[in-house]
Amino acid sequence: MAEASTTEHEQTLNTYQDYEDLWNGDFSKLDVVAESITFYNSSLPEGKLHGREAFEAYLRKLRSAFPDWYVVADDLLVDDGIVMKEWTITGTHEGEYKGIPPTGREFEIRGMDKILVADGKVQEARLYHNPQRVSEQLGLTED
């Protein structure tokens, strides 16, 4: 019985690693995301998006604005198809971001994810962070 749990645990970890690689620019890992993924992020216009195509477009837009976008897992908890992750993201604003021309400024933010994995695919992801921190670091807010 424990062997099956370990296998499921390992599969969830492998799926998570592919998902992180995708966030870090390896679009060959796109199939780790379910066709029907729901992605929640308070910085999105409606707070969420649905489907692999929409998710890919979102990531490509981010990478266009921040080509060196990089996610590092600071802490990770995996249990029963759920991944909880504390992370740090860094990047440099080198492309248009939300209609704002590049500032050349760097940012570093911290946040958390809750990722639901089933059948070797990310089915749902919830991103928790303060979107205002990016704007502040890019100099897009008034002091």
Side-chain angles (χ1 to χ4, degrees), residues 12-93:
T12 300
L13 270 174
N14 290 337
T15 299
Y16 156 75
Q17 186 57 62
D18 286 348
Y19 183 67
E20 185 172 292
D21 291 346
L22 174 61
W23 272 95
N24 285 329
D26 185 353
F27 284 91
S28 73
K29 306 283 178 104
L30 188 60
D31 66 344
V32 74
V33 175
E35 287 283 346
S36 61
I37 187 173
T38 302
F39 176 69
Y40 297 89
N41 182 341
S42 61
S43 68
L44 291 169
E46 295 180 20
K48 65 183 173 183
L49 56 82
H50 295 283
R52 184 187 295 164
E53 266 186 40
F55 184 74
E56 178 183 10
Y58 171 75
L59 286 183
R60 288 193 184 277
K61 194 177 285 188
L62 277 178
R63 296 221 52 96
S64 176
F66 307 98
D68 61 345
W69 175 282
Y70 195 74
V71 180
V72 172
D74 300 319
D75 202 2
L76 197 64
L77 176 64
V78 178
D79 188 33
D80 200 26
I82 299 173
V83 178
M84 297 295 294
K85 172 177 79 169
E86 287 185 45
W87 47 255
T88 301
I89 296 175
T90 56
T92 307
H93 186 203

